[in-house]
Amino acid sequence: MSQSKFINIPLPLVSATAALPTKIAITNSSTTTAAAAGKLTDTGGTPNFSDVVQVGDIIFPTGAASTVYSTVTAIDSTSVLSISGTGNTLLEASGQAYEIYAQADAY
């Protein structure tokens, strides 16, 4: 008869409602301006995604559940990001407010 063994490893618990760190400062409008599959497009303000956003950064649609987000998979231009994740449905549409956090700060 084999015996099962369990290892008790404490895991840090982070509240889903805790305040996130400071978002990445961007001069885009922080609201999507066009609808495109797999893309976040923001041509408002002074677009500068290529200067301040990095692949792996996390994007949260404003007003959505804290478990809904997308990850930047590529910087296509100063105003277009390729994205992947549960937030795509919201972020691919025009008129969706969003916040971007550095990957290291989002976790």
Side-chain angles (χ1 to χ4, degrees):
M1 177 186 307
S2 67
Q3 287 184 312
S4 297
K5 294 186 179 186
F6 296 94
I7 299 173
N8 186 10
I9 301 173
L11 299 174
L13 296 176
V14 179
S15 170
T17 59
L20 287 169
T22 305
K23 66 181 177 177
I24 293 175
I26 57 173
T27 56
N28 296 59
S29 68
S30 298
T31 301
T32 58
T33 56
K39 308 288 182 186
L40 181 152
T41 304
D42 183 354
T43 56
T46 304
N48 70 347
F49 285 153
S50 56
D51 294 336
V52 296
V53 178
Q54 296 182 21
V55 171
D57 286 350
I58 308 298
I59 308 168
F60 291 93
T62 302
S66 60
T67 56
V68 176
Y69 64 91
S70 290
T71 303
V72 175
T73 57
I75 294 102
D76 299 347
S77 71
T78 59
S79 58
V80 179
L81 301 173
S82 291
I83 57 174
S84 175
T86 57
N88 277 27
T89 302
L90 296 171
L91 295 168
E92 293 169 342
S94 182
Q96 173 63 52
Y98 64 88
E99 295 179 344
I100 301 176
Y101 295 88
Q103 180 180 16
D105 292 339
Y107 295 103

